[in-house]
């Protein structure tokens, strides 16, 4: 019998996480198609990070199941880890090592074949090959993010998790980061699962969007569908309408955020 090809990168069913009486994630279900770009949005404290930790084997769910690339996260955690890469919101590079050494360390941990060729390929891809021998502490924020993305791809993952990949970067650098990510998605078919506080990023690149608030999924669909549902003209306005939260990053001036909020109510 011919094997049925796997068409889902991620399949989440009735997933919950409780800490005593506190419900961080409340019986959520969603699917992510292979090769798609998937945005997982929500205000701070909504349950995004807890969900990502359960998807990436860092937390054990209280209830429910998660399947990544055909592998049950609870039963096949080692296989699952081989299938994804992750770029955390907080910096995770060793600043005292060079760019090449950071890549090499990751390659050793994952037992990557043809490691020298793979490092050169990825550092060239993110335009850092000429800085391969520079200590990471000399890099700008955008360069560090590019290196983290390259490192996350070192072991040929099918799925890449990006938690706030462009937070705090200037608009030009943010655009460069997304150019790399989009090219990787197009050319290699890598599934992208990302969170962001920049709604215009999700509106521009995401094939599918899920919005979570207070541990529950409150909306999902394309950007066009969410705007139609809320009768709004932008994903940011749709998000505010659905959640009551203005999600823009904290570096935006507070008075500007408040004016935007009051102007939309």
């Amino acid at each position: 019998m011919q094997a049925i090809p796997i068409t889902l990168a991620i399949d989440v069913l009735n997933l919950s996480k409780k800490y005593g009486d506190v419900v961080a994630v409340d019986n959520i279900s969603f699917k992510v198609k292979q090769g798609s770009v998937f945005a997982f949005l929500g205000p701070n404290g909504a349950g995004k990070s807890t969900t990502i930790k359960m998807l990436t084997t860092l937390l054990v769910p209280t209830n429910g199941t998660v399947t990544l690339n055909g592998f049950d996260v609870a039963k096949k955690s080692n296989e699952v880890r081989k299938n994804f890469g992750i770029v955390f919101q907080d910096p995770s590079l060793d600043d005292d090592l060079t760019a090449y050494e950071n890549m090499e360390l990751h390659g050793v941990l994952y037992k990557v074949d043809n490691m020298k060729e793979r490092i050169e390929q990825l550092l060239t891809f993110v335009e850092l090959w000429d800085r391969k021998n520079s200590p990471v502490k000399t890099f700008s924020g955008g360069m560090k993010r590019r290196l983290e993305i390259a490192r996350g791809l070192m072991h040929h993952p099918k799925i890449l998790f990006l938690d706030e990949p462009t937070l705090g970067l200037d608009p030009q650098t943010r655009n460069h980061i997304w150019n790399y990510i989009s090219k990787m998605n197009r050319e290699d078919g890598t599934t992208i699962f990302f969170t962001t506080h920049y709604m215009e990023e999700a509106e521009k690149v995401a094939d599918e969007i899920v919005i979570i608030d207070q541990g529950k999924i409150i909306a999902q669909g394309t950007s066009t569908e969410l705007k139609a549902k809320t009768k709004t003209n932008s994903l940011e306005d749709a998000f505010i309408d659905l959640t009551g939260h203005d999600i823009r990053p904290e570096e935006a001036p507070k008075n500007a955020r408040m004016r935007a909020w009051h102007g939309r109510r």
Side-chain angles (χ1 to χ4, degrees):
M1 180 180 294
Q2 187 175 5
I4 299 174
I6 299 167
T7 58
L8 290 179
I10 304 172
D11 192 359
V12 176
L13 182 63
N14 301 330
L15 188 66
S16 297
K17 183 64 180 179
K18 298 179 182 179
Y19 299 96
D21 294 331
V22 177
V23 181
V25 175
D26 191 359
N27 195 40
I28 67 172
S29 299
F30 61 87
K31 302 177 187 295
V32 180
K33 295 177 183 177
Q34 279 191 348
S36 66
V37 180
F38 184 91
F40 193 59
L41 308 180
N44 291 331
K48 300 190 303 296
S49 294
T50 301
T51 300
I52 290 175
K53 287 177 180 177
M54 288 190 284
L55 299 186
T56 56
T57 76
L58 296 176
L59 271 182
V60 177
T62 304
N63 295 298
T65 59
V66 178
T67 304
L68 258 70
N69 223 40
F71 296 103
D72 187 303
V73 168
K75 299 175 181 177
K76 298 285 186 179
S77 57
N78 287 336
E79 291 299 324
V80 166
R81 293 184 192 114
K82 295 175 185 176
N83 275 268
F84 73 81
I86 186 166
V87 176
F88 296 99
Q89 180 177 340
D90 296 323
S92 59
L93 298 167
D94 190 322
D95 281 353
D96 291 324
L97 297 180
T98 66
Y100 193 97
E101 289 167 340
N102 270 277
M103 295 287 286
E104 191 173 39
L105 178 60
H106 195 80
V108 169
L109 290 173
Y110 279 89
K111 300 178 181 178
V112 173
D113 294 329
N114 301 316
M115 188 161 59
K116 291 182 179 180
E117 292 84 351
R118 183 64 173 163
I119 292 174
E120 182 175 358
Q121 176 191 21
L122 289 170
L123 289 182
T124 300
F125 174 69
V126 297
E127 300 180 8
L128 288 175
W129 180 244
D130 62 332
R131 297 293 302 274
K132 62 182 180 295
N133 295 321
S134 299
V136 169
K137 60 187 175 186
T138 66
F139 284 11
S140 67
M143 292 168 68
K144 289 181 179 180
R145 262 314 190 211
R146 282 151 51 194
L147 179 58
E148 285 179 317
I149 290 169
R151 186 186 61 177
L153 294 169
M154 187 70 190
H155 58 292
H156 302 274
K158 302 295 185 184
I159 305 165
L160 183 63
F161 290 93
L162 301 166
D163 192 6
E164 302 283 354
T166 60
L167 185 64
L169 302 179
D170 63 85
Q172 183 178 10
T173 303
R174 284 167 50 203
N175 286 335
H176 285 323
I177 293 292
W178 276 112
N179 285 339
Y180 298 129
I181 296 169
S182 298
K183 183 178 180 182
M184 172 183 56
N185 169 255
R186 289 192 313 270
E187 296 183 357
D188 298 336
T190 308
T191 303
I192 308 297
F193 184 110
F194 75 98
T195 70
T196 185
H197 278 188
Y198 298 104
M199 292 294 99
E200 71 275 13
E201 290 184 346
E203 186 166 9
K204 181 178 179 181
V205 305
D207 300 311
E208 185 83 4
I209 298 166
V210 158
I211 298 176
I212 184 172
D213 194 16
Q214 298 181 353
K216 294 178 179 290
I217 290 178
I218 60 172
Q220 57 188 107
T222 65
S223 175
T224 300
E225 290 168 345
L226 294 176
K227 288 185 289 186
K229 178 179 180 180
T230 55
K231 297 180 174 60
T232 53
N233 294 319
S234 71
L235 182 60
E236 183 177 353
D237 288 342
F239 183 91
I240 293 173
D241 186 86
L242 289 163
T243 68
H245 294 276
D246 189 341
I247 197 176
R248 278 181 292 174
E250 289 302 314
E251 66 260 30
K254 183 176 180 180
N255 59 345
R257 295 201 309 274
M258 291 304 294
R259 285 198 302 271
W261 165 257
H262 289 300
R264 292 188 176 94
R265 303 311 293 169

